[in-house]
Amino acid sequence: MADATTESGSAAAPMPLGLPPVVRADGSPARALVVDDEQALAAAVGGSLVADGWEVRIEHRGRSALIAVREFQPDVVVLDIMMPDIDGLDTLERIRAIRPEIRVLFLTALDSHDDRIAGLRAGGDDYLTKPFAIAELQARVRVLARSAVAIARPAESRLRVGDLAVDTGESTAELAGSPLELTPTEFELLLLLANNAGRVLRRAQILEAVWGYDFGTESNLVEVYVSSLRRKLAASTALNLETVRLVGYVLRVADGAGSGSGGGA
């Protein structure tokens, strides 16, 4: 059965990232479901999210997590992969069958490149390996929340850069008229690059803008997401996502391709 909802802390508790709490469109706290069979770790993760303003429920098995998805109606799920009853990949498949719009962050000790790709291909929106920094976890969960269905969001607007069209209201993007399949984090990164097309962004700037925190030189977070986004933009005839060695990244638009914002498709 499900654990009791985490009760330590409150929305008034200090915000570790120095940011206001994430809220739903109705003004209530955003909801996070933490699923991990390591009870101490699950409690630490849940407590950190409560301190960041979230309403949290903790589960230790895939089967109980499926019940919690129905009862608790979370906006974001933090999900371990290696669990004793149903593994995280199978649990995610079943979660998607219940509520396909839920955002899911895999939190796992499986840290190879192939493991990451498998997790994202299975439908995970983000992937964080153990051990991890609590601040990074909080930042990534906040990123996922930005595109969750129930979360309050800004008024609709559209941005066009070359053959890319970005709808910030719906958190969707099209390349040459075809929808781009993006995770929420990829969307945030693409939006940042598109809003700064032609301008080189430093790695630290990207970390601060997308994740809300600079994870230092040890993390290859930006590199992983730039590489994934570059593959998804490969079909573009008007855009090039370039690496500026020792500086950062820039989304360049071919001469004459044009850019701008507005209501056009």
Side-chain angles (χ1 to χ4, degrees):
M1 292 297 293
D3 282 1
T5 301
T6 302
E7 294 178 350
S8 60
S10 68
M15 300 301 158
L17 293 178
L19 300 171
V22 180
V23 296
R24 291 179 154 195
D26 63 5
S28 64
R31 297 178 183 179
L33 172 63
V34 178
V35 188
D36 198 305
D37 64 321
E38 296 182 56
Q39 296 191 19
L41 177 62
V45 170
S48 73
L49 293 176
V50 168
D52 202 28
W54 291 73
E55 183 177 351
V56 175
R57 178 160 166 172
I58 297 173
E59 300 293 344
H60 303 300
R61 296 290 186 272
R63 295 187 190 280
S64 60
L66 299 177
I67 295 172
V69 165
R70 292 186 175 94
E71 293 179 348
F72 184 55
Q73 297 287 301
D75 304 300
V76 177
V77 177
V78 179
L79 181 62
D80 187 20
I81 290 182
M82 296 185 294
M83 292 187 293
D85 60 343
I86 310 174
D87 71 29
L89 298 180
D90 192 12
T91 300
L92 174 57
E93 182 178 356
R94 300 186 191 194
I95 287 174
R96 293 286 187 226
I98 300 169
R99 287 189 56 213
E101 76 280 4
I102 288 180
R103 302 308 182 191
V104 176
L105 166 70
F106 278 125
L107 183 63
T108 176
L110 301 175
D111 60 357
S112 75
H113 178 75
D114 288 345
D115 289 326
R116 292 172 185 266
I117 296 301
L120 296 175
R121 284 180 176 170
D125 298 299
D126 201 354
Y127 195 104
L128 181 61
T129 57
K130 305 172 185 177
F132 58 92
I134 285 293
E136 180 173 358
L137 171 74
Q138 292 169 326
R140 290 193 184 211
V141 171
R142 279 176 168 266
V143 168
L144 294 183
R146 293 177 197 168
S147 59
V149 171
I151 301 300
R153 51 175 47 85
E156 180 178 351
S157 62
R158 291 180 68 86
L159 170 70
R160 178 175 289 279
V161 179
D163 53 0
L164 173 71
V166 181
D167 187 324
T168 58
E170 296 296 328
S171 297
T172 58
E174 294 181 349
L175 187 67
S178 298
L180 275 176
E181 296 295 330
L182 301 170
T183 69
T185 306
E186 287 172 342
F187 177 83
E188 293 292 334
L189 176 58
L190 178 61
L191 180 60
L192 175 68
L193 291 165
N195 272 321
N196 292 276
R199 176 187 174 195
V200 178
L201 297 177
R202 291 180 290 106
R203 181 178 176 279
Q205 288 177 300
I206 295 173
L207 284 167
E208 180 66 31
V210 177
W211 285 271
Y213 192 79
D214 186 345
F215 306 114
T217 57
E218 296 298 318
S219 173
N220 66 341
L221 192 62
V222 174
E223 290 75 10
V224 169
Y225 277 91
V226 166
S227 177
S228 176
L229 197 55
R230 184 177 284 132
R231 287 193 298 271
K232 295 184 179 184
L233 295 175
S236 174
T237 58
L239 299 173
N240 188 29
L241 179 48
E242 298 179 6
T243 299
V244 181
R245 190 171 182 272
L246 301 180
V247 182
Y249 302 92
V250 57
L251 185 66
R252 297 199 188 278
V253 184
D255 290 341
S259 66
S261 61

